[in-house]
Amino acid sequence: MRPIYMDHHATTPVDQRVLEAMLPYFTEEFGNASSIDHEYGSRADEAVQQARSQVARLIRAKPEEIIFTSGATESNNLAILGVAEALADKGRHIITAATEHPAILDPCLYLERHGWQITRLPVDRFGLVDLDALQRAIRPDTVLISIMTANNEIGTIAPIKAIGEIAREHGVLFHTDATQAAGYLPLDVQELHVDLLSLSGHKMYGPKGIGALYVRRFKRSLRLEAQIRGGGHERGLRSGTLNVPGIVGLGKAAEIASREMRQESERLRRLRDRLWEGLRARVPGIEINGHPTQRLPHNLNIYLPGVNNRALLVALKHELAFATGSACATTKVEPSHVILALGYPEERAKSSIRLGLGRSNTEQEIDRAVDSLAGAVEELTHKLRI
Ligand SMILES: *Cc1c(COP(=O)(O)O)cnc(C)c1O
């Protein structure tokens, strides 16, 4: 038997229905979506248009506001660098948060090396930025605020609507990395006052290597600076022959999520709470990292006092697949920058794990995971005492 998979924040499997929707576009329907002068191309183009609508519907955007990319990393780069370069004459100050994904923090670091100023807002114990601090950080030369919708490690959900309102009041663009929230929480870019939003296929049961950036269409024209130049695809914002099978897969994944999110998120929340209650009853001193209630329904990030998370990973290698930080930084074995940003010492970061539930997980698996984790924790802490 393979280990139980509880690392859905790192990636999810492709849904069978998504795979089936994609398959024809590898073979018979292989046309280039730009070659609309003939049937092959126009059929591919139609499939792309349908997917654009499906993705738009998931976040209540208009189809023409969706730019297909290779994933959320590229979407984030396009948002940050595209706005920074487009508005460089207006100002060179960007506000973000300390707990963002590396795909936000790294482009910001790059800009900083090239003369931009970056404010990285601190967060409280729960992972929330302070809205007054955000207001105070806005300057006349601020061009962009980028705050993630939900954190990929601790699951904390940011008050996106309030942040969007602040950004709008000050005439500053607002980008949110919604990669972990899309498909799990209802999102409405109008209601939330979001100008740019990133999402990724493989975090919502679509394929890897495909994502999208929502770019609001303004009356006054804001033209992001493209980061990949060429034939002018995707409104000139992202050149390159469209990944038609990937796009069809992302569209189908978005359609399924739009339809099933409510029920599935509720199911995941119940499973997650069962997991937490089970662990809390059996692991002394266990604590939640992140917000107790304002969190993703399928996320549980826990502190296991006295347990080295790497040792736990090894001990449970055949039983349970989970994460000790974020997959995006696993080449480094540094303690999680997110747990540290909550104000905890390194010791806590090294004794914390992330459990991410998903469609395949069952109640039986939750109970087995509780047994495995509690047993391994007991063994590891017992060894430590001897
Ligand atoms: C996974 C993830 C990304 C990167 O997405 P890719 O599509 O793998 O490039 C960016 N931001 C967040 C919050 C993520 O969870």
Side-chain angles (χ1 to χ4, degrees), residues 1-6 275 279 283 302 304 307-324 353-355 368-380 383:
M1 202 160 35
R2 295 183 73 189
I4 299 169
Y5 187 73
M6 287 195 183
L275 180 60
L279 289 171
V283 179
I302 42 176
L304 304 162
V307 177
N308 179 283
N309 57 16
R310 309 292 308 174
L312 189 64
L313 206 59
V314 172
L316 291 176
K317 160 168 84 175
H318 300 296
E319 291 163 62
L320 187 64
F322 59 96
T324 57
I353 64 167
R354 175 185 72 180
L355 299 158
R368 263 169 58 207
V370 169
D371 279 342
S372 300
L373 278 164
V377 166
E378 199 172 84
E379 213 159 278
L380 287 170
K383 259 188 218 153

Side-chain angles (χ1 to χ4, degrees), residues 9-10 70-74 76 101 103-104 148 150-152 177-180 199-203 209-211 328:
H9 299 295
S70 65
T73 298
E74 188 191 329
N76 287 346
H101 190 275
I104 296 289
M148 70 205 313
N151 187 271
N152 52 301
D177 178 352
T179 309
Q180 293 290 341
L199 57 83
S200 176
H202 76 100
K203 303 288 177 79
I210 189 73
C328 336

